[in-house]
Amino acid sequence: MSFVEYGDTIKDGDTAIVFLGHESMFPVKVQHGTVTQTKYGVIRHSTDLIGKKYGSKVTCSKGGWVFILHPTPELWTMNLPHRTQILYSTDISIITMMLELKPGSIVCESGSTGSGSLSHALVRTVAPTGHLYTVEFHQQRAEKAREEFRDHGLEQLVTVTNQDVCRAGFGVSGAADAVFLDIPCPWEAIGHAKAALKEEGGRICSFSPCIEQVQRTCLALEEFGFTEINTLEILLRVYNVRTISLQMPDLGRAAEDHGSSDLWDGGSAGAHLQPAAVQFKSSVPLREMVGHTGYLTFATKS
């Protein structure tokens, strides 16, 4: 199993996604002799999972059923253990596009290693010949990230370094196609980012929740000679498709045709002349939506 390459069958040691519904799913590590409890009953790994095809419908001990899905970066973002705040698919999608990433790209990142949401998406984008150099300041989170990358079949594509990127940099010189920063003081790492990027045309992205951080980062980018500096904020508004029932509008024709006004003043003669209802499909926005997550500042090394 790998988050980069799809596998047909579930194997011992795989990470799989137990899908109970669109709003209910969770990851499990498949192991011989292990059981997983769900609200529909027990799933026995040895008999219910190992050897079955991904996407299979599995019946639990209480008679209910779940689907077992192959993991992807998108599903991992929705189900990973939160060791730190993470980036979600809305921001991740624009980051990978604006950094101009493709198979074979070399990427450096710092600040998003903790839970690995963005990291998995970056690795999938640059595979099979690219590489991700990720720097994590916290030692235990760095070790946990190494363990997860190894379990997910990504260890050959990722190098995890435990150090302070603002002081020691990325450990890469003149080779990276892109750099991503998600740290409290990104302006302190701009010099190291410039040193890590290739000689010309490398891209950088900084994620910051506060506009004051953006201002200082933009000043540092200008100071180090970066060009095409711009900042974006991505807001996602979700719509639900529903069946709507509306009454046809009355334009006064019924009263004119019958020559009487008592049709609409409560008279019994017009009691049966109610406007007809029409049903149709419509998209309706949710009452609440996800608001501000952070500002994305992009620039190019000149």
Side-chain angles (χ1 to χ4, degrees), residues 94-125:
I94 198 71
I95 290 170
T96 55
M97 184 188 75
M98 294 293 286
L99 288 181
E100 302 175 3
L101 301 182
K102 59 185 182 299
S105 295
I106 306 298
V107 186
C108 297
E109 69 161 344
S110 182
S112 57
T113 315
S115 294
S117 175
L118 176 65
S119 304
H120 283 74
L122 293 177
V123 172
R124 198 258 308 271
T125 303

Side-chain angles (χ1 to χ4, degrees), residues 135-154:
V135 177
E136 172 57 51
F137 175 78
H138 194 278
Q139 182 178 359
Q140 290 182 339
R141 289 201 292 263
E143 293 174 354
K144 186 61 179 178
R146 288 193 191 98
E147 179 183 341
E148 281 186 352
F149 290 139
R150 182 172 58 254
D151 289 343
H152 297 168
L154 305 176

Side-chain angles (χ1 to χ4, degrees), residues 2 4-5 102-106 122-132 153-158:
S2 170
V4 173
E5 297 178 353
K102 59 185 182 299
S105 295
I106 306 298
L122 293 177
V123 172
R124 198 258 308 271
T125 303
V126 304
T129 56
H131 201 85
L132 173 66
L154 305 176
E155 68 274 14
Q156 300 299 323
L157 299 169
V158 186

Side-chain angles (χ1 to χ4, degrees):
M1 183 278 302
S2 170
F3 277 61
V4 173
E5 297 178 353
Y6 183 81
D8 288 332
T9 58
I10 305 171
K11 299 181 177 63
D12 186 25
D14 282 3
T15 297
I17 306 297
V18 179
F19 181 89
L20 292 83
H22 289 290
E23 302 297 329
S24 180
M25 62 184 92
F26 58 89
V28 295
K29 185 169 183 178
V30 180
Q31 293 177 313
H32 273 294
T34 302
V35 298
T36 297
Q37 296 284 348
T38 75
K39 63 181 180 180
Y40 300 126
V42 173
I43 300 174
R44 295 175 175 81
H45 293 201
S46 299
T47 58
D48 297 333
L49 298 184
I50 297 175
K52 300 290 182 64
K53 287 185 175 294
Y54 278 107
S56 296
K57 183 178 179 180
V58 174
T59 302
C60 304
S61 61
K62 293 182 180 179
W65 46 265
V66 298
F67 288 102
I68 308 300
L69 305 181
H70 193 285
T72 65
E74 290 81 9
L75 288 174
W76 187 244
T77 292
M78 298 170 63
N79 295 282
L80 56 76
H82 284 240
R83 296 183 291 271
T84 60
Q85 291 290 336
I86 70 169
L87 291 176
Y88 290 92
S89 298
T90 306
D91 290 314
I92 291 173
S93 60
I94 198 71
I95 290 170
T96 55
M97 184 188 75
M98 294 293 286
L99 288 181
E100 302 175 3
L101 301 182
K102 59 185 182 299
S105 295
I106 306 298
V107 186
C108 297
E109 69 161 344
S110 182
S112 57
T113 315
S115 294
S117 175
L118 176 65
S119 304
H120 283 74
L122 293 177
V123 172
R124 198 258 308 271
T125 303
V126 304
T129 56
H131 201 85
L132 173 66
Y133 294 89
T134 183
V135 177
E136 172 57 51
F137 175 78
H138 194 278
Q139 182 178 359
Q140 290 182 339
R141 289 201 292 263
E143 293 174 354
K144 186 61 179 178
R146 288 193 191 98
E147 179 183 341
E148 281 186 352
F149 290 139
R150 182 172 58 254
D151 289 343
H152 297 168
L154 305 176
E155 68 274 14
Q156 300 299 323
L157 299 169
V158 186
T159 298
V160 181
T161 304
N162 173 218
Q163 63 188 29
D164 184 355
V165 69
C166 294
R167 295 183 178 181
F170 295 93
V172 176
S173 179
D177 297 285
V179 169
F180 176 80
L181 299 172
D182 182 8
I183 56 178
C185 303
W187 54 90
E188 295 182 0
I190 298 300
H192 295 297
K194 182 177 181 179
L197 287 169
K198 59 186 181 182
E199 184 175 350
E200 185 177 0
R203 295 279 286 167
I204 184 173
C205 175
S206 173
F207 178 90
S208 298
C210 301
I211 196 64
E212 292 81 7
Q213 294 170 301
V214 174
Q215 292 171 335
R216 295 191 64 174
T217 302
C218 289
L219 291 174
L221 289 169
E222 289 183 344
E223 180 182 347
F224 281 94
F226 284 85
T227 60
E228 298 178 340
I229 303 171
N230 63 88
T231 299
L232 309 176
E233 181 184 22
I234 312 300
L235 300 177
L236 177 66
R237 189 177 188 185
V238 178
Y239 280 74
N240 281 344
V241 178
R242 299 180 181 177
T243 300
I244 304 296
S245 180
L246 292 179
Q247 290 184 333
M248 292 292 290
D250 172 63
L251 302 178
R253 293 178 180 176
E256 294 175 2
D257 293 344
H258 289 79
S260 173
S261 61
D262 64 353
L263 297 178
W264 307 107
D265 62 3
S268 60
H272 65 285
L273 298 176
Q274 297 296 326
V278 177
Q279 291 187 340
F280 60 94
K281 293 289 185 180
S282 177
S283 57
V284 180
L286 301 181
R287 292 180 179 271
E288 298 180 355
M289 63 175 281
V290 177
H292 172 75
T293 56
Y295 301 103
L296 294 170
T297 299
F298 296 92
T300 303
K301 182 177 179 181
S302 176

